[in-house]
Every structure is written in C-alpha cells, then in structure tokens.
Amino acid sequence: MTATISPKRGVKEAPSISSNVRGYAERIRGGDMGALPAVFGLVVLCTVFAIMRPSFVTAGNFANLFTQGAAVTVIAMGLVFVLLLGEIDLSAGFASGVCAAVLAIALTNQGSPWYVAVAAAILTGVVIGTTLGAIVAKLGIPSFVVTLAAFLAFQGLVLLLVKGGTIIAVRDETILAIANKNLPPVLGWGLLVAGVVAYAALQSLRARKRAARGLTADPVSLIAVRVGALALLGGLAVYILNLERSRNAAVVSLAGVPIVVPIIVVLLLVLTFVLRRTAFGRHLYAVGGNAEAARRAGINVDLMKISAFAICSSMAALGGIIAASRASSVDPNTGGSNVLLYAVGAAVIGGTSLFGGKGRVLDAVLGGAVVAVIENGMGLMGYSSGVKFMVTGSVLLLAAMVDALSRKRAAATGLR
C-alpha cells in the first residue's frame, strides 16, 4: 500500500482504512479485479441455494462442502504454479489417479506403513512433474501437447496399475481419517485461536518493519479489521462444524472440523509463503510476466518451468491421496471424469490468469469453493450432471472473460 496525495493540500495522506478502500477501488477501476468476482459469485451462489434449498445451510452439508471439494482444491493449488508461467497441465487429474494407485498398492498389496505409501505417492508425483517440465523446458514442446499426451498415457497407466477394472480398497485408518474423520471440537477452537494470534502477530510485525524502514505501513485500525474479520469468519465456521451432525450421536459422533480442513490451510500458508516471500516465487512471477526479460535478468527459466510442473504434480499426488481417502478405494476412474476440468476451473474462477504472471494460491481455494458449491447445491436441487457441467462451464467462461477484460483495462490504464 502506498500513501495517497491529498488533491487539496498537496501532501501525503496518512494511511487509514478509508485510504486503503479508495486505493482498492482505484485498482478495481484500473482492471485489477483480484478475487472479487470469485467472492461475489460465492456469496450469490450460497444465497440462492440457501433460499431454494434450506438444507444447503445445515451443519452436515457445510462439512460436506469441505470434504467434497478438497481433492479438486488441492490439485488446483498446484495448477496455479503452472498457470503463472502461462503454461497448462492437462495431465494433473490422471496424475493424481496414478499417485493414488501407487498409494493403494503400497498399502493394500504390499502391506507398507501409511507414511511409506504416502512418500511413494508424492515421489511419484515429483517424478511425473519433473519429467513433464523437462520435456516442456528443454525440448520446447508446448505444454498443451506434452500434458495432453501424458493425460492419455496416465489414463492407461491407472488401468494397468489397478489391473483393468478392479478396485483396490484402502483400509489404513490414518489415510481414511484424512477425509472421513474430524478433529475434537476443543482442538478445532485451539487451532483457530492459534491461527488468529499468529496472523495478528505477523501483521503487526510486518507493519513495524515497514515503519522502521521509512515505508508506508498499514494502520493499526486496518490490521484490527483484518484480524477481527478472520476471527469472526473462522469462529463462525468452527462453531458450525462443531455442531453434532450425526443422527445418532450415541453410536457415532460427527462433531468437529474435518481433518482435511487444517491440511488445506497448512498447504495454503506454505505455498503462499513460497510465492510471496521467496526468490523462487518472485522469479516465477517474473517468468510468467515476460520469460525473455526474466532470462536476460539472469533467471533460469528452464529451472522455473521444471520446478512449477514438479510442484503441480506433487500437489496432484496429495489430491489423489485425499480422493482415495474419501472414496476408501482406488479404481480406474480415480483422477478421471471431471477432476481435471474442475481443478483448472477452480484456479481460473478464483482469479488466476490463463495468460500467466497473475495469480495466488488463495485463488484456487476460492475457486474450489465456488465449484464445490455449484456441484453440491445443484445436486441438492436434483439437477442432472449435464446441467451441472453446463453451469460450471458457463462460470468458467465468465471468469476467463473477466480475466481478459481486466487485462485489457489494466493495459489501457497503464497498470500492467
């Protein structure tokens, strides 16, 4: 944030909430929409579904939204790294299926401990991504062609790994708990409090460091608003998720935050730190903005591409593990069907540009929420899969149009 100049007095205006709001409005007018379309769409969709189907706002369905969209969201988080370079990975869906099959074979057929199976699945993702990235970077073959070929190859590989049409059951309790178990209610509250305190401390520390360097820092009032908003929204979510969702709590309790939620939050924080606070992240944005300029500045463009694809496939592996946990099995359709389409859609709907150089990991989470709400809400209303696909496709097209128009607006106003 930068201090604004008062048109009347010709002096710098002290940072305040109002100046931040005006600055944000100016960025929107200049074409920098950010995550605003995704947030607006999410609010509208939730409102419509809540009115038309009151069961949409129940605690049970609220928890289902998290577990239902978790795998797609995690895959989309990895796709953000590739999209930032202006590339695409069409194999991410079936790459997750291959990694899930490796996990299931290691657990069920080989009898390996869960941590060995998880390591094998993630290592498989790293090898897949590194190989695809090397082909794209070193041979100069368009990523669309390379990953389309991989999409077909991995589809066949999944069939071979699960021996045609068989289903490999996943029975390990630790793996099954990822998408099917909940945290104790007290632990959910504890994690929320720790998260809010840590966020407040980091915001305050950042403001003090900027002030010490003579830079414009966020005012205490703005930090308080951010921390209060996080505490309010997080507290509301934890309260709802801690409500008893079981019809017979004496037999089995379903109260608590799903375990997959803190996993996604940790991934979001780690990957956001990588993109925003490391040289690697800055180089990634630079390559996505202008690869030739980045190369002349001394950035290893090939390494950036290989690393982005490796991260993407590693996140696909984690998504495959979550999908296997939720289904309690792996079959030939794991990672197939609409997984890739929804993952790419989630990243783009959230605000990541298909043209490269613009995007955040948070975009994938917001877009994943939009996709999950559409899938869940329309399912409750009894619409067929065909209607769901049409609506999701329309939302994706709208998001791409907003991105294109925003880029043109930003270019016209000189903000890009």
Side-chain angles (χ1 to χ4, degrees):
M1 187 203 76
T2 58
T4 59
I5 304 297
S6 172
K8 294 183 179 179
R9 302 176 184 175
V11 297
K12 287 186 177 181
E13 179 182 350
S16 63
I17 294 179
S18 59
S19 65
N20 275 268
V21 171
R22 286 195 296 273
Y24 181 65
E26 290 175 2
R27 292 197 299 272
I28 292 177
R29 286 195 296 269
D32 185 7
M33 302 290 288
L36 181 61
V39 174
F40 178 75
L42 189 61
V43 172
V44 170
L45 287 169
C46 289
T47 302
V48 171
F49 289 137
I51 293 174
M52 300 187 71
R53 280 292 182 273
S55 58
F56 178 81
V57 293
T58 60
N61 192 61
F62 186 55
N64 286 339
L65 285 172
F66 287 102
T67 56
Q68 184 176 343
V72 167
T73 299
V74 170
I75 297 173
M77 292 165 78
L79 280 167
V80 168
F81 285 78
V82 173
L83 292 174
L84 280 174
L85 296 177
E87 305 287 354
I88 188 68
D89 187 355
L90 299 178
S91 69
F94 275 115
S96 72
V98 170
C99 297
V102 170
L103 173 84
I105 291 172
L107 286 174
T108 304
N109 297 356
Q110 305 298 326
S112 302
W114 69 267
Y115 47 86
V116 173
V118 168
I122 295 176
L123 180 61
T124 301
V126 172
V127 172
I128 288 174
T130 302
T131 303
L132 295 177
I135 294 174
V136 172
K138 299 300 184 180
L139 299 183
I141 304 175
S143 59
F144 178 89
V145 177
V146 174
T147 57
L148 178 60
F151 170 88
L152 297 173
F154 294 159
Q155 187 173 7
L157 183 56
V158 172
L159 286 172
L160 293 175
L161 289 174
V162 300
K163 312 242 181 250
T166 60
I167 298 176
I168 304 178
V170 176
R171 300 187 180 89
D172 185 89
E173 292 297 327
T174 302
I175 299 299
L176 292 177
I178 294 174
N180 297 288
K181 298 294 184 180
N182 307 307
L183 298 174
V186 174
L187 182 56
W189 285 115
L191 290 176
L192 173 64
V193 172
V196 171
V197 171
Y199 178 75
L202 289 174
Q203 287 288 306
S204 300
L205 180 62
R206 179 173 178 268
R208 285 199 298 269
K209 284 184 176 181
R210 289 182 63 86
R213 295 173 183 172
L215 302 174
T216 303
D218 292 333
V220 176
S221 57
L222 180 60
I223 295 176
V225 169
R226 290 172 178 168
V227 173
L230 176 63
L232 178 62
L233 294 177
L236 181 62
V238 172
Y239 170 77
I240 294 174
L241 292 172
N242 278 346
L243 295 176
E244 184 58 66
R245 305 186 293 273
S246 175
R247 294 183 178 180
N248 191 347
V251 178
V252 58
S253 175
L254 294 179
V257 177
I259 292 176
V260 75
V261 173
I263 291 176
I264 291 178
V265 171
V266 170
L267 290 173
L268 171 63
L269 294 176
V270 171
L271 295 180
T272 298
F273 176 82
V274 170
L275 280 182
R276 298 186 61 182
R277 301 296 180 187
T278 66
F280 172 82
R282 291 190 291 271
H283 290 173
L284 203 66
Y285 280 109
V287 174
N290 190 321
E292 185 56 33
R295 182 179 287 107
R296 292 181 179 180
I299 297 175
N300 190 332
V301 175
D302 289 351
L303 180 60
M304 288 296 102
K305 290 184 178 182
I306 295 172
S307 300
F309 276 94
I311 292 173
C312 180
S313 294
S314 299
M315 294 300 293
L318 292 177
I321 293 171
I322 294 173
S325 172
R326 185 166 186 262
S328 303
S329 64
V330 173
D331 60 57
N333 291 322
T334 302
S337 184
N338 55 12
V339 172
L340 171 67
L341 302 178
Y342 280 178
V344 174
V348 176
I349 290 170
T352 300
S353 176
L354 287 168
F355 302 98
K358 174 188 171 186
R360 303 171 301 169
V361 180
L362 179 60
D363 296 339
V365 177
L366 293 174
V370 172
V371 171
V373 166
I374 293 174
E375 177 81 3
N376 181 278
M378 298 194 75
L380 291 176
M381 294 176 64
Y383 286 106
S384 65
S385 296
V387 176
K388 295 178 187 177
F389 286 146
M390 291 178 65
V391 172
T392 306
S394 299
V395 173
L396 174 58
L397 178 60
L398 180 61
M401 291 171 62
V402 169
D403 177 34
L405 293 174
S406 297
R407 288 174 64 87
K408 288 184 178 181
R409 176 66 177 170
T413 56
L415 293 180
R416 182 175 177 82

